[in-house]
């Protein structure tokens, strides 16, 4: 045909020669006089239109011959079925249909003027190959099966997408060669069928426009909207578990197609069989029309008896075709009120159950009466099993997430060593299945290098005590003011005696605070002062106002003034939380250097342990180069955490100082996972020396002085071997050039600490920065930083 794409194996002529020839043969042998006369009259009429046989070469010519085409194809397109069949004559490679049945015409009309009919997932390459296969089958007599299902997706006037499967009949097609055509051999066919994706090979064997197509194709459409919708929904559910916000819209559109309802909505409510409670999906991924704004509700309170029996007891569909009538019958039902609030007119509630266990309730709701009912609820039978699978997977995924959180937050099984625990778990399960008895053995790693570091709050005990002291003094002074006012209004000796005792506590508190004095004051307030204050409440309006102010100053949980202590606790918690998150994030990068075990824990600051060695990996060879890398990484990270420590405090009410320490241990040791404590610990008596050093080293003094080795604004690197000193001095020099560390470096000897002798230290000042990029700005010493912060 004219204006057709030149990138196709054949030119197209619309010819009805095969139909006309069939009529002529039938006319010769037909016995029935009525049929014989009909065939003769059709053939006589067609003789006036010779191009129907020789071939029409344009859409214009087809339109000019449309009446004789209708008459000629009357047997193939019986008029009596035109309102029922979806059928048309068509051409390959052309988005052109003619001789459409009335039902087909109506479907295209409802799709709108701007709609273009297009085969789903049909590319130019597929089109070319199919054109070649038409030639192989029609001219060479092959029977190559290329009946892959194809579909038209056609919307209606309401925007509902309908899906139609295409069946094509090519019985009335024949082909002619042109001079460009290449003879196809059996070897060519074998090669082509082995390379169906090689479009260049197909173009080589069937050059563009090298053949002539004569005839037409009969296209039959079957409405498979429901089947296709169910299939798409199954795919969505299997691929995505339960729908989330991003693909819920697609799921809803599928249900709308299945039920042919443009405004149908989908909801889901989860069911807990233990508590009999209905709950929403986490994060409100899917709406719950049963619960509406209620987060959780017992199913007895949600449903009427009829709905409860159907859904909860019998696991059957419960359809309300007329919600208004249901509300009149059950006006006090929570379900009635929620449906009325959402202006829902009909709905289906489908139980999602696995065996006898109800998992959830699928909700389909419509804003039209009778649109959803107990009859079309049957459509869900093919869908529900896949929703069950999706729910189970969603539940399993959530439980896995819970386990992962527990694994991450509550135990010390670091991901880097999880592999050995998994191997032991597999052995445990195999032994248990085989013998019925098994035990989980201890996990041990030999010959690993330990690294330890800490960033600690300087004088944390003193700061905490000062905060407690200030709060208690404020509390006692508030009480004195109330007692003074009570004495003015009612001068009783008992008030004088109480004031005397309070002032004595204040004097003692100013001189010294210890755990026993704190507890005495708190007990005094709770047992003697609080009853007295209740007595004052009704004495006068002024006292009542003072007591209201007093109560507002008291923390409800602690029962005492909790201002300074809260500032201290909040500051420490925020510092610890931020530093812990920071080293966790940075540590994930360090795993790329070499997989190793890492743990950190929060005290008054953040401590961390690292163990690295070949035994901790499954298939990776260890080298001391990796140890040196991790040591340098650790020193740099401690510098960064020092900076982070002070940056955190810029907007906090309390200012604290930090002192950092790194312990260098030159020998390897063995560690073992203690099942009873659920944590790794050093293994063996000799290795225990390392733990002793760790626990005592931050209390060590510089030899022949009263000066602690850990100092604010500095990092202390503790070691015992000269080789370690040389190694770390190189790291210090490198980090000085990177603007992490200052020029002041001290080499110190330490006093012996409870059996630990011969320890030394490199102490170096940390440089601080106004932002986190150490290389882009002038560094500050600790003194400079204090001026900036304060």
């Amino acid at each position: 045909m004219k204006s057709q794409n030149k990138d196709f194996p054949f030119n197209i002529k619309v010819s009805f020669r095969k139909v006309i020839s069939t009529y002529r043969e039938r006319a010769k042998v037909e016995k029935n006089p009525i049929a014989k006369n009909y065939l003769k009259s059709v053939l006589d009429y067609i003789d006036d239109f010779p191009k129907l046989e020789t071939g029409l070469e344009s859409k214009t010519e087809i339109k000019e011959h449309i009446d004789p085409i209708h008459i000629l194809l009357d047997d193939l397109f019986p008029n009596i079925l035109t309102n029922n069949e979806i059928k048309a004559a068509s051409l390959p490679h052309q988005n052109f249909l003619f001789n459409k049945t009335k039902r087909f015409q109506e479907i295209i009309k409802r799709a709108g003027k701007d709609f273009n009919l297009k085969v789903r997932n049909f590319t130019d390459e597929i089109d070319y190959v199919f054109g070649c296969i038409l030639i192989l089958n029609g001219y060479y007599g092959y029977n190559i099966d290329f009946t892959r299902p194809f579909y038209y997706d056609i919307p209606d006037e309401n925007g509902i997408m309908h899906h139609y499967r295409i069946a094509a009949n090519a019985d009335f097609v024949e082909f002619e060669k042109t001079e460009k055509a290449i003879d196809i051999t059996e070897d060519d066919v074998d090669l082509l069928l082995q390379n169906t994706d090689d479009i260049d090979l197909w173009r080589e064997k069937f050059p563009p426009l090298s053949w002539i197509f004569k005839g037409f194709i009969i296209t039959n459409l079957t409405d498979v909207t429901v089947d296709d919708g169910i299939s798409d929904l199954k795919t969505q559910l299997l691929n995505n578990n339960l729908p989330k916000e991003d693909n819920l819209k697609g799921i809803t559109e599928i249900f709308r197609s299945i039920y042919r309802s443009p405004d149908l909505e989908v909801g889901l409510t989860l069911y807990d069989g233990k508590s009999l409670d209905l709950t929403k999906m986490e994060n409100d991924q899917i709406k719950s029309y049963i619960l509406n704004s209620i987060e959780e509700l017992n199913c007895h309170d949600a449903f009427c008896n009829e709905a409860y029996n159907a859904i909860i007891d019998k696991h059957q569909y419960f359809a309300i075709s007329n919600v208004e009538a249901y509300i009149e019958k059950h006006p006090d039902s929570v379900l009635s009120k929620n449906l009325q609030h959402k202006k829902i007119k009909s709905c289906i509630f489908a139980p999602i159950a696995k065996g006898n266990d109800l998992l959830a309730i699928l909700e389909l709701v419509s804003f039209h009466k009778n649109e959803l009912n107990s009859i079309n609820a049957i459509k869900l039978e093919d869908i529900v099993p896949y929703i069950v699978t999706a729910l189970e997977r969603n539940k399993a995924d959530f439980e896995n997430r819970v386990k992962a959180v527990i694994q991450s937050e509550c135990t010390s099984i670091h991901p880097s060593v999880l592999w050995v625990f998994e191997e032991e778990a597999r052995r445990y399960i195999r032994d248990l299945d085989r013998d019925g008895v098994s035990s989980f053995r201890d996990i041990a790693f030999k010959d690993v290098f330990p690294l330890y570091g800490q960033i600690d709050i300087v004088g944390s005990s003193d700061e905490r005590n000062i905060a407690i002291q200030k709060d208690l003094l404020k509390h006692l002074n508030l009480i004195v003011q109330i007692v003074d006012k009570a004495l003015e209004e009612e001068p009783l000796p008992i008030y004088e005696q109480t004031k005397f005792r309070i002032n004595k506590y204040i004097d003692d508190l100013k001189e010294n605070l210890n755990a026993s004095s704190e507890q005495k004051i708190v007990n005094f307030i709770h047992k003697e002062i609080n009853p007295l204050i209740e007595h004052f409440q009704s004495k006068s309006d002024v006292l009542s106002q003072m007591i209201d102010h007093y109560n507002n100053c008291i923390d409800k949980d602690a029962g005492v003034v909790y201002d300074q202590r809260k500032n201290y606790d909040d500051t420490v918690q925020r510092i610890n939380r931020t530093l812990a998150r920071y080293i966790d994030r940075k540590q994930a990068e360090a795993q790329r250097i070499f997989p190793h075990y890492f743990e950190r824990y929060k005290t008054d600051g953040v401590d961390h342990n690292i163990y690295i060695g070949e035994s901790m990996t499954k298939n990776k060879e260890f080298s001391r180069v990796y140890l040196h890398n991790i040591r340098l990484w650790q020193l740099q990270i401690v510098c960064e955490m020092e900076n982070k420590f002070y940056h955190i405090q810029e907007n906090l009410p309390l200012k604290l100082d930090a002192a950092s320490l790194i312990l260098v241990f030159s020998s390897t040791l063995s560690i073992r996972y203690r099942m009873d404590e659920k944590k790794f610990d050093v293994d063996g008596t000799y290795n225990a020396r390392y733990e002793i050093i760790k626990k005592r080293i931050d209390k060590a003094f510089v030899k022949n002085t009263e000066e602690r080795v850990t100092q604010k604004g500095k990092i202390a690197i503790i070691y015992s071997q000269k080789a370690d000193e040389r190694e770390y001095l190189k790291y210090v020099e490198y980090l000085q050039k990177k603007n992490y560390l200052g020029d002041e470096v001290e080499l110190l000897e330490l006093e012996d600490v409870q059996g630990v002798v011969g320890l030394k230290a490199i102490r170096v000042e940390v440089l601080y920065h106004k932002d986190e990029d150490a290389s882009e700005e002038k560094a500050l010493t600790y003194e400079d930083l204090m001026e900036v912060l304060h």
Side-chain angles (χ1 to χ4, degrees), residues 19-35:
V19 177
I20 295 169
S21 297
T22 302
Y23 278 12
R24 285 173 180 157
E25 293 300 319
R26 279 182 59 195
K28 291 177 185 178
V29 297
E30 183 59 61
K31 304 293 185 185
N32 187 304
I34 297 174

Side-chain angles (χ1 to χ4, degrees), residues 572-612:
V572 170
Q573 285 178 18
R574 183 168 176 184
I575 288 171
N576 285 351
R577 189 167 57 245
T578 306
L579 292 180
R581 280 201 302 259
Y582 184 78
I583 196 170
D584 284 348
R585 189 171 69 250
K586 288 292 185 178
Q587 199 277 326
E589 299 171 7
Q591 288 292 339
R592 292 196 285 270
I593 297 173
F594 190 87
H596 56 276
Y597 176 80
F598 170 85
E599 65 178 358
R600 54 99 182 130
Y601 39 94
K602 292 177 277 191
T603 53
D604 281 342
V606 176
D607 298 11
H608 66 270
N609 285 316
I610 296 173
Y611 299 105
I612 184 170

Side-chain angles (χ1 to χ4, degrees), residues 596-635:
H596 56 276
Y597 176 80
F598 170 85
E599 65 178 358
R600 54 99 182 130
Y601 39 94
K602 292 177 277 191
T603 53
D604 281 342
V606 176
D607 298 11
H608 66 270
N609 285 316
I610 296 173
Y611 299 105
I612 184 170
E614 191 164 320
S615 64
M616 305 200 82
T617 63
K618 198 168 185 179
N619 297 305
K620 193 164 184 179
E621 186 176 342
F622 179 74
S623 163
R624 288 187 73 98
V625 172
Y626 298 123
L627 173 64
H628 299 324
N629 269 277
I630 289 293
R631 283 178 169 178
L632 176 58
W633 170 87
Q634 181 192 33
L635 182 55

Side-chain angles (χ1 to χ4, degrees), residues 187-375:
D187 290 341
D188 290 333
V189 174
D190 291 344
L191 184 63
L192 288 166
L193 294 182
Q194 288 172 11
N195 298 276
T196 52
D197 295 332
D198 188 350
I199 189 64
D200 293 332
L201 177 63
W202 287 86
R203 285 197 177 100
E204 178 190 328
K205 299 299 180 183
F206 296 91
L209 306 182
S210 59
W211 291 76
I212 297 172
F213 168 100
K214 283 190 173 183
F216 64 96
I217 292 172
I218 298 174
T219 297
N220 279 281
L221 303 187
T222 305
D223 189 340
V224 293
T225 300
V226 174
D227 293 341
D228 205 46
I230 291 172
S231 177
D232 285 348
L233 187 58
K234 290 174 182 177
T235 302
Q236 289 258 27
L237 290 170
L238 290 174
N239 287 344
N240 299 300
N241 292 344
L242 286 176
K244 295 189 172 58
E245 212 171 306
D246 53 351
N247 68 325
L248 179 59
K249 185 178 178 182
I251 297 267
T252 302
E253 290 300 324
I254 293 169
F255 272 111
R256 287 175 178 176
S257 293
I258 293 171
Y259 279 89
R260 303 189 179 185
S261 170
D263 55 3
L264 180 144
E265 294 290 343
V266 180
L268 190 78
T269 301
L270 300 180
Y271 175 74
D272 186 339
K274 294 178 182 177
S275 63
L276 303 183
D277 285 339
L278 302 171
T279 59
K280 294 181 180 181
M281 286 280 292
E282 62 264 20
N283 301 323
D284 290 331
Q285 291 169 3
I286 310 175
K287 289 180 181 177
S288 169
Y289 292 93
I290 294 174
L291 296 176
N292 198 6
S293 60
I294 303 169
E295 291 296 326
E296 187 173 320
L297 185 65
N298 190 276
C299 56
H300 284 287
D301 300 326
F303 297 128
C304 65
N305 291 336
E306 187 181 358
Y308 183 91
N309 291 336
I311 300 170
I312 307 299
D313 284 346
K314 299 178 181 177
H315 298 174
Q316 294 176 349
Y317 303 117
F318 184 73
I320 306 174
S321 55
N322 185 342
V323 170
E324 290 179 1
Y326 179 82
I327 293 170
E328 288 180 12
K329 189 176 178 183
H330 306 282
D332 298 325
S333 163
V334 173
L335 179 60
S336 293
K337 292 174 182 177
N338 287 339
L339 294 178
Q340 186 176 35
H341 177 75
K342 290 292 186 180
K343 298 180 181 178
I344 292 163
K345 302 298 183 185
S346 62
C347 54
I348 297 171
F349 300 114
I352 310 300
K354 177 73 171 178
N356 294 322
D357 297 327
L358 181 64
L359 305 175
I361 301 167
L362 175 68
E363 309 163 348
L364 301 184
V365 300
S366 168
F367 303 96
H368 305 283
K369 186 173 74 172
N370 294 328
E371 190 166 67
L372 296 173
N373 51 67
S374 57
I375 296 173

